Amino acid sequence: MDQEIRVKLEQWIDAHFDDIIRDVSTLVAVPSVSQKQANPEAPYGQGCRDALDKALALAQSYGFETRNYENHCGSVTLRPGEEEIAFWGHLDVVPPGDGWLVTTPYEPVVRDGYLVGRGSDDNKGPAVGVMYLLRAFEELGIPTRHGLRLFLGCDEEAGMQDVDYYARSYPASKLVIIPDCGFPACYGEKGIITADVVTEPFSCVAAAKAGMASNIVPAEALLAIRGETSADFGEWIQTEVRDGCTVFHATGLSRHSAFPEGGVNAIHEATKAACASGLLGEADQQALGFLTRINDDFLGTALGIDGEDEMSGYTTCTGTMLKLREDGRLVLHLNIRSHILADQAKLLKTLEEACAQNGCTVENLHASKGNYFPRENPVVDAMTDVFNEINGSDAKPYVMGGGTYARHLPNALGFGLGALPREETALFAPGHGGAHQPDEGLHLANFKKALLIFGMGILEADRVLP
């Protein structure tokens, strides 16, 4: 790693950091939840189109060449060439959700060393950060062997149709680095499966509502059961009797479904309490008991799909959304992250068989295979070494459960800008402050350090890329 360039880059980031946070805040203020539209001018909704337009306008104001790819995504280019290193960030965000305490989702504020607002951390902050790194390379005259291009997507959180559109229509980059994960180099991602478990019609369930997105462990759930009880069901449950029903209001601790450890699934709390209420008939008790067991752990044990490998760890399975259909059937949506070596075809068959044995069917099944970037590629160690040298650590390259654009593009791996330890703060309530949580916050000191790591990582990847 060139120490002279490191010093210059660190000084440049420090001098421009207030501007970076200003531009991130500008984009955070744009509500950009992806919503599929039959409108070629805004295929993911006007909010995403507005965010894309604003981001490209920012890049143009700094002298970059920009391009809009039929409103599916855009790009910001430094030193165009046939051989390029690309970076894929995204401007769409998960739904705002409820329970914000520090600010409202689209009114960004800086407080106690954090920029708080939906998308500040995932992924508008990192996307703007990479844009500024390209600007730094240009203004400091730092040479690169390859062209550098930042892509800005609009549908990462809701299906990644944006990157699929691009990959079908345009040539692949020599190397793709995804800044939508944690340091150091992430050379693999687990497979992702989503599915709906559908029960037979219930006679006792009057209402059910929980969850706002597939990839968020829900912090709130409502389940109304016909009949009345005043029993105490523990700290996560409040009940009220209304219209001849007991309404179970469950709270929990939200997490990203790829990393459910430490979360409390409000759906599980609600169904568990209902099963313990004594209000269910035999058939309803069995059906709701099955849905409860699915969420007893986050390993898929009740479905027989649990497993692990040395490379990527264990499969996770979380029921993240619950609803009652008009025909009286409950629908529990599953978000599954299968370890890289898992046989997905076998896993899907096991899932369907377990549901059938418990009187349920599987609908809306979607499966995406995992991603693997060759561990032996020198880029993996080069970027990891940069992280360890600047961070004073001995971290190893890793595989994760999160799903990024890397699984939809050739020659792709993840690198930062996250996973630096945050300082303890009283700013956030439990279950708040993280990506996909209420009061999503970008830790500013970490972000500044991450920009230096990412910038030097780019230069090392450029140097060693075969």
Side-chain angles (χ1 to χ4, degrees), residues 230-245:
S230 58
D232 183 0
F233 296 96
E235 63 176 320
W236 304 106
I237 295 290
Q238 290 184 339
T239 62
E240 64 171 323
V241 175
R242 188 172 64 206
D243 299 328
C245 295

Side-chain angles (χ1 to χ4, degrees), residues 160-232:
M160 304 191 191
Q161 292 184 15
D162 52 350
V163 71
D164 288 340
Y165 174 88
Y166 179 86
R168 288 194 305 267
S169 308
Y170 297 96
S173 302
K174 186 175 182 181
L175 176 69
V176 178
I177 301 174
I178 309 295
D180 188 16
C181 64
F183 289 125
C186 175
Y187 64 94
E189 297 177 4
K190 295 178 180 178
I192 298 179
I193 299 168
T194 59
D196 291 336
V197 178
V198 183
T199 69
E200 289 297 312
F202 275 80
S203 60
C204 300
V205 178
K209 183 179 180 181
M212 59 183 179
S214 175
N215 54 7
I216 304 175
V217 177
E220 296 183 359
L222 179 149
L223 185 60
I225 305 297
R226 293 184 176 90
E228 299 182 7
T229 180
S230 58
D232 183 0

Side-chain angles (χ1 to χ4, degrees), residues 365-389:
L365 183 62
H366 299 282
S368 171
K369 292 183 178 180
N371 175 65
Y372 179 76
F373 183 87
R375 173 64 184 84
E376 64 275 11
N377 190 303
V379 166
V380 176
D381 283 333
M383 293 198 302
T384 297
D385 290 345
V386 166
F387 170 74
N388 285 330
E389 182 173 341

Side-chain angles (χ1 to χ4, degrees), residues 68 90 138 147 192 259 268 294 329 369 373 380:
N68 181 323
H90 65 89
E138 182 69 6
I192 298 179
F259 316 103
H268 182 243
I294 289 175
R329 300 172 192 268
K369 292 183 178 180
F373 183 87
V380 176

Side-chain angles (χ1 to χ4, degrees), residues 193-196 198 323 325 331 333-334 362-367:
I193 299 168
T194 59
D196 291 336
V198 183
K323 67 179 181 180
R325 294 199 321 204
V331 180
H333 177 82
L334 303 182
V362 177
E363 298 180 2
N364 301 319
L365 183 62
H366 299 282

Side-chain angles (χ1 to χ4, degrees), residues 270-299:
T271 60
K272 182 171 63 174
C275 285
S277 70
L279 299 176
L280 300 176
E282 182 178 355
D284 288 358
Q285 182 80 24
Q286 291 178 353
L288 199 61
F290 175 58
L291 300 189
T292 301
R293 291 194 301 278
I294 289 175
N295 277 326
D296 275 348
D297 60 29
F298 48 77
L299 304 174

Side-chain angles (χ1 to χ4, degrees), residues 330-350:
L330 277 176
V331 180
L332 178 66
H333 177 82
L334 303 182
N335 189 286
I336 300 166
R337 311 293 171 120
S338 58
H339 64 88
I340 283 184
L341 297 183
D343 182 335
Q344 274 203 345
K346 182 179 179 180
L347 187 153
L348 295 175
K349 182 179 179 182
T350 301

